[in-house]
Amino acid sequence: MTTEKPNRSAERDQRILRTVAAIPAGAVSSYGAIAALAGLPGSARLVGRLLSQLPADSGLPWHRVVNAQGRISLPADTPGFREQVERLRVEGVEVGGGRINLRRYGWRP
DNA sequence: TTTGCGGCTGTAA
DNA sequence: CTTACAGCCGCAA
């Protein structure tokens, strides 16, 4: 009735986060791919923003998301970058120079 | 409410 | 590898 304005953004967020959560360990996906899988093609940057604001205790595998070039999108001199590299290696993903071979580790649902 | 800007982007040149 | 531009969105002014 009075409020006929559903929070569509919150819904998108959930869909994106759920998609990220679906990436299996040992694999990586890209911002654009996640957005597309979540039904939001073209909203790659939204995925990035979401992950960047993700609480530390979210439990989501944010580290399994890299850019379309297979590169970690965080500045190489940041704790976040090192953390991502570390987490990926723990899962068996080879990371060289902040790079990942998508042919090999790219997630294909 | 409109506008402008910037981003964990993507793609093409 | 660098540069440029295109879309999409959230946020501050």
Side-chain angles (χ1 to χ4, degrees):
Chain A
M1 333 254 322
T2 51
T3 66
E4 217 37 76
K5 207 66 172 179
N7 258 11
R8 223 164 267 121
S9 44
E11 220 171 280
R12 292 171 177 168
D13 292 355
Q14 293 312 305
R15 245 181 299 162
I16 290 174
L17 297 180
R18 226 176 304 155
T19 305
V20 171
I23 306 172
V28 299
S29 190
S30 70
Y31 299 96
I34 293 299
L37 286 172
L40 302 167
S43 298
R45 302 186 94 137
L46 177 59
V47 176
R49 177 165 319 264
L50 232 54
L51 296 184
S52 70
Q53 296 169 157
L54 212 57
D57 61 352
S58 65
L60 285 176
W62 57 269
H63 56 282
R64 294 181 208 164
V65 184
V66 298
N67 65 32
Q69 282 74 54
R71 273 195 301 150
I72 290 178
S73 283
L74 291 169
D77 58 354
T78 63
F81 176 93
R82 288 186 280 280
E83 164 109 45
Q84 185 163 17
V85 173
E86 190 72 14
R87 291 196 184 197
L88 287 173
R89 285 180 174 161
V90 167
E91 298 182 349
V93 176
E94 296 177 63
V95 185
R99 289 260 214 102
I100 296 160
N101 186 314
L102 294 182
R103 297 278 212 182
R104 190 164 174 188
Y105 300 104
W107 179 42
R108 56 237 171 188

